[in-house]
Amino acid sequence: GNLTALTALGLGSNQLTGTIPDSIGNLIALTELLLDSNQLTGTIPASFGNLVALTNLVLDSNQLT
């Protein structure tokens, strides 16, 4: 889907596993991204550099490196 106008995505405390998809960097209108309290692993994708409107990023309580 095409969610480029999405401004907030809250998925905290949802028992998500795996890595953060690189495609999140395509959500260029995001101002808030909440992925805390899951079981995410890996690194923060370089594509997050595309999120120039992002003002609130919450990633705590995961297993990110």
Side-chain angles (χ1 to χ4, degrees), residues 4-35:
T4 55
L6 190 70
T7 58
L9 181 60
L11 295 173
S13 300
N14 275 283
Q15 300 179 352
L16 299 176
T17 59
T19 59
I20 300 172
D22 195 55
S23 57
I24 286 191
N26 296 333
L27 305 176
I28 56 173
L30 272 186
T31 60
E32 185 172 41
L33 179 58
L34 311 175
L35 296 174

Side-chain angles (χ1 to χ4, degrees), residues 14 24 26 34 43-44 46 50 53 57 60-61 64:
N14 275 283
I24 286 191
N26 296 333
L34 311 175
T43 59
I44 298 169
N50 298 334
L57 175 63
D60 64 286
S61 300
L64 298 170

